[in-house]
Structure formats: structure tokens, C-alpha cells
Amino acid sequence: MTDDDPRGGEPARTVRHRPFALDLTGPLGTARGEIGRREGFVVTVERETAEDGAAGLGEATPLPGWTESREACEAALDGLGDRSEVDSPAEALDAASTPAARHGVSLAVADAAARERGRRLAAHLADTAGAGVAPADAVPVNATVGDGSPAETAADARRAVEAGFDCLKVKVGARGVGADVERVRAVREAVGDAVALRADANGAWDRETASRALDALAAFDLAYVEQPLPADDLDGLAALRRGDPADGDGSDGGGEGDDGRDDGGGAPIAADESVAARGIGAVLDAGAADAVVLKPMALGGPDRALAAAMRARESGVDPVVTTTIDAVVARTAAVHVAAAVPDVSPCGLATASLLDGDLAPDPCPVEGGRIAVPTGPGLAGGAFDDLRR
């Protein structure tokens, strides 16, 4: 990540953290390896202006490959200690090298500030970012369907639609292109044209394979194909958007604000891993995406994620907020980030079911394909008070 940190942190007094570990319901395969357990830190920050001494609450849950290691995260938090002054998390912690640690502290500071003002976190974030509109009261979310056979994937899709989801993400890339095309075809036939479909390749394809896949998948009117190429191949992503031949070098791509899309190309492109690896600015400058998938934990905090979303929107690129399979505190914060994005598209926030347990009851359950934003103050009123102590 290469973009400058947004400024505007609140004065703070004491920063504390304590570890936690949560098992997943089952191993989760990703392009960067299998995940079976999430380990992180609950972070609390007491602000010197807080009359009741209430602590702001954050979560730092590193995911190596996306963020720093657990050890590096802990070392960064240890480095803060019980400092008498932390003027700004953006100054005290480096979002490029320790994004999860910065996320934990910046979230806690923002939560404390919002609680002191009696406002929900989404409103505080929107004001800080200059969003210009009131946050939404609910956020649309997508369901992710399993990587099974065509019949199994279609059955998962039907169950998700019956549960109220109108946007589905299908994992692709683990099989051959032909097999994935048949899986997506089965889903489209099962749910009809009114349901939005996305496909996520997690960087699994090379340029030639991705070009074939996008051309074939275009028949199913996908909202986008997520990360069809490895994270660092921004030129390749830009070339795919333009519909260039697979061996094109992408050297004549458009800059930020230049759409760069050839309407004769395949399905639209979303960048996910590329945003964490190269930064939102590099992705936009390369003309590498029609949409960007923003993970607050990987970007260094809710403030940075919202700033990236606003920058993308200004460039005509659609922002989508998601998580790194976080615990309930960070998931709730991501809901607030999404709510602060005007007219946000369905987001990848329906991930609680992937965890076998959690830090606290979830104040943001999914109902009918949407998540109601907690009214506050702060993250979720008194929902996390036991974690603040």
C-alpha cells in the first residue's frame, strides 16, 4: 500500500490490547493458502477528553498475505504501550507495514470519538471523510456460494436467494475454465436474471486463461469478475478491461479518471488483492478495475477504507466493502464503513457464519440480504461493553 494516510485522528491517552483466537467452522481455501483459525487482538483506547472514562474499542486481526503477521502486529501494538499521548494513529502506526495494528487503534479512536458525541460510527466516519450525505440505515450484502459441482453450486444459490439475497458471488479458478463456466451457467439458470452474479477467481488465472474465461462468462451478465489475475499484474487487468489480446503488455492503459474500458471486452473487472498489494492509487492510475473490493483490516483502518472508497467513486470505479474473515468488532466497523459510502453496492459482510465462535453476540445479523447499521453511539451502543473493560 503506497497512499498517504488520511489524517484527523483524535487525541488519546492509554492504548491497551489483549489477544484472542477463533476457529473457523471449517478450513477456508484462498489464493494465499488455507485459513482455519483467526488470531488477533482486542484494542481499547481511552481518550483524555472522555468525561466518563469510557474506552473506544477496536480489533486488530492480521491475516498474513493481506496484512502483517500476528507477531508484527503484536510488536506494533506493544510499541505504543501506555503512552500518555497518541495524537494520531496515522502518525503512530504505519498502514503500509502494520495495517491490522493501525486498524485496531484507529477504529478504537474513532469509536471513542463517536461515543463521546453520541453518534453512530458511520456518521462520524462520513463527516471526517466529507462524504456529504447521511449514512444509510442498512447495507446490502452478497452471499458467497460454494465451490461444488454445477448442481451443488446451483442448490447453494437457490438457498441464498430464498434467504433474501439478491447478489451472489461464485468462487471460480480452482477448476478449469470450462468447468467454471458450467457452474456459473447452472447458477444463472437456477436464480434467473433478476439476481446479480459475481465471480471471484482470487488471482488464479494467467492472462490467456483470464481472457478466455471473461469472454465465456460475459454470456451470463456478471456484475464483475473479481481478481482474475495475480495481484501485481495491474497492466494485465487493464488490458483485460480494454479487451486487448492476451499477450498485450498493457502499456497504453488509461490513468486515474480515464475509464479505459473497451465496451467490446468481456465481463467487468474488480480488483481485490491488487488494492492491498499495490494501493488504491496504483489500481486507479492503471485503469485496472471497474470495481474495487476494500478490506478495512488490510487497508489500515475504517478511515483509510472510506477514503479509498470515496477516491474510487470520484474516478468512476465502484467501491465494495468486505472483510478478512474478522471477528465481530471489525465486522461491525466494516458495516459502518459501507453505510458511509453513498449508494453502496452489495458488500461482502455476511461472513459471521464462517466462525465457530466470536468475541460477543453479533449486533449486525443478516436479514433478507441486508444488514441494519447499529444506531450507536459508536460501534453498537452497549453491545460490546464487556470487551471494553
Side-chain angles (χ1 to χ4, degrees), residues 149-173:
S149 68
E152 291 167 337
T153 306
D156 285 345
R158 288 191 197 93
R159 283 190 289 269
V161 172
E162 289 168 0
F165 290 94
D166 58 10
C167 180
L168 308 179
K169 182 164 78 171
V170 182
K171 288 288 187 178
V172 297

Side-chain angles (χ1 to χ4, degrees), residues 15-17 41-45 56-62 68 73 77 80 89 93 98-111 296-297 300-303 329-330 379:
V15 181
R16 297 189 177 91
H17 62 281
F41 303 89
V42 174
V43 179
T44 57
V45 171
L57 185 67
E59 176 187 327
T61 308
E68 73 273 29
C73 181
L77 294 172
L80 293 177
L93 294 168
T98 55
R102 187 192 183 278
H103 179 282
V105 176
S106 61
L107 171 55
V109 169
D111 177 50
M297 191 70 68
D303 56 334
V329 174
L379 272 164

Side-chain angles (χ1 to χ4, degrees), residues 294-340:
L294 306 174
K295 293 175 165 62
M297 191 70 68
L299 294 176
D303 56 334
R304 287 179 57 85
L306 182 55
M310 302 304 291
R311 183 173 179 181
R313 183 62 63 75
E314 290 170 0
S315 298
V317 174
D318 194 30
V320 176
V321 181
T322 185
T323 76
T324 48
I325 319 301
D326 306 320
V328 66
V329 174
R331 287 200 315 275
T332 302
V335 170
H336 283 280
V337 172

